[in-house]
Amino acid sequence: MKNVLVIGSTGQIGSELTAKLRSLYPGGNIVAGYIKGAEPKGELLEGGPCAEVDVRDGSGLAAIADKYSIDTVYNLAALLSAKAEVKPLLAWDIQVNGLINILEVAREKGFAVFTPSSIGSFGPETPRVNTPQDTIQRPRSMYGVTKVATELLSDYYFNKYGVDTRSVRFPGLISHVTLPGGGTTDYAVEIFYAAVKGEDFACPIPAGVFMDMMYMPDALKAAIDIMNADPSKLVHRNSFNIASMSLDPEMLRKVISARIPAFKMHYELDPVREKIAESWPDKMDDSCAREEWGWAPAFDLDSMADDMIAALRVKLG
Ligand code: SER
């Protein structure tokens, strides 16, 4: 990896991944791709090249790939799960038609492609605990439908055309730089903001509903390590289960209250998110990622909570 295009660089993952890649590969072009209305600002804008890239425009993408001699594309353009239920056809257009455009350009230009999958690619029939790497995937949400299609298309282009596609199934991501938006796991980020601001948190997910979660530094490490992995060791490609913690709202309440005793939370359930959350794994089995490319997370619940609260205290004054 040297010349990398991050599509969706102003989003929750993209903003931090772009900065991390720029620090790791100072001699390369790490291009922050954005769409109109989500332009990069500050460090993201000033720290390296930026380019408008809409995944629905393959020729625009090909021009940027040529201009910067792109060898790797991180395709992070997506509508998250709850938002995709409001605009299912737009989600399909961005996540599936957009990916086909990218893969077609990748065939021609020879760059590698990372398109994240998610816990959302599983459904109610999937084993919830220790969800295997290879198992039933019958999601009910449009987000999940697009993620399964994404995994299959990525493997198809690898097997048929040799496009170097690799990816991971991200858990809900907890981070403090850029807020997620429209996801089912967003509550696990918002709860920290509310706690640090001294607000009473209205939790949309019921107590006892567990989902895989991960702290952003581990997610970035996974996204970079999988693209640098020795391809001869990869039995799987799209996409690897990766896991670090399995949480429900009460576990988060407890870990936050231990650090911010005045923290208050009550439940105001969101039926759309509740139904989606109940259909997702509690805890994925990530042994294939560990064996095939050495995946290992660094953060657990306590170290994540310490770091999140400290960072948000600085950020929110
Ligand atoms: N964080 C995503 C969502 O909640 C799942 O990958 O939609």
Side-chain angles (χ1 to χ4, degrees), residues 12 79-82 117-120 143 147 170-173 180 182-186 211 276 280:
Q12 187 197 12
L79 294 193
L80 293 184
S81 55
S117 186
S118 156
I119 48 172
Y143 179 75
K147 287 295 167 190
F170 279 133
L173 299 181
T184 299
T185 59
D186 294 9
M211 288 183 276
I276 293 175
W280 287 359

Side-chain angles (χ1 to χ4, degrees), residues 15-73:
S15 55
E16 294 198 51
L17 181 64
T18 307
K20 177 99 192 162
L21 290 169
R22 283 176 175 166
S23 72
L24 288 175
Y25 304 104
N29 291 314
I30 309 297
V31 184
Y34 63 90
I35 49 165
K36 265 202 181 69
E39 286 80 5
K41 296 188 192 92
E43 187 50 38
L44 196 57
L45 174 67
E46 285 144 25
C50 301
E52 194 180 326
V53 182
D54 188 325
V55 291
R56 292 166 295 179
D57 168 20
S59 51
L61 170 65
I64 299 297
D66 282 342
K67 180 170 175 192
Y68 294 102
S69 308
I70 293 300
D71 57 62
T72 305
V73 167

Side-chain angles (χ1 to χ4, degrees), residues 83-135:
K83 209 165 178 180
E85 289 309 294
V86 181
K87 295 186 172 176
L89 298 186
L90 181 61
W92 180 269
D93 203 25
I94 294 171
Q95 274 125 252
V96 182
N97 295 335
L99 174 61
I100 290 175
N101 289 334
I102 294 169
L103 292 169
E104 279 295 310
V105 180
R107 253 178 91 181
E108 195 191 320
K109 310 282 177 200
F111 55 72
V113 183
F114 173 96
T115 305
S117 186
S118 156
I119 48 172
S121 69
F122 297 111
E125 294 88 2
T126 306
R128 253 250 190 116
V129 178
N130 293 328
T131 305
Q133 171 65 41
D134 301 308
T135 186

Side-chain angles (χ1 to χ4, degrees), residues 9 21 38 49 63 74 100 160 174 206 217 236 238 241 273 277 284 295:
S9 69
L21 290 169
Y74 281 94
I100 290 175
K160 189 163 172 115
I174 300 175
H236 298 84
N238 301 282
N241 287 358
R273 287 180 165 84
M284 290 186 283
W295 157 250

Side-chain angles (χ1 to χ4, degrees), residues 133 240-244 283-298:
Q133 171 65 41
F240 284 92
N241 287 358
I242 53 166
S244 62
K283 189 179 184 311
M284 290 186 283
D285 172 358
D286 60 1
S287 48
C288 290
R290 288 174 185 268
E291 282 158 23
E292 292 175 39
W293 49 278
W295 157 250

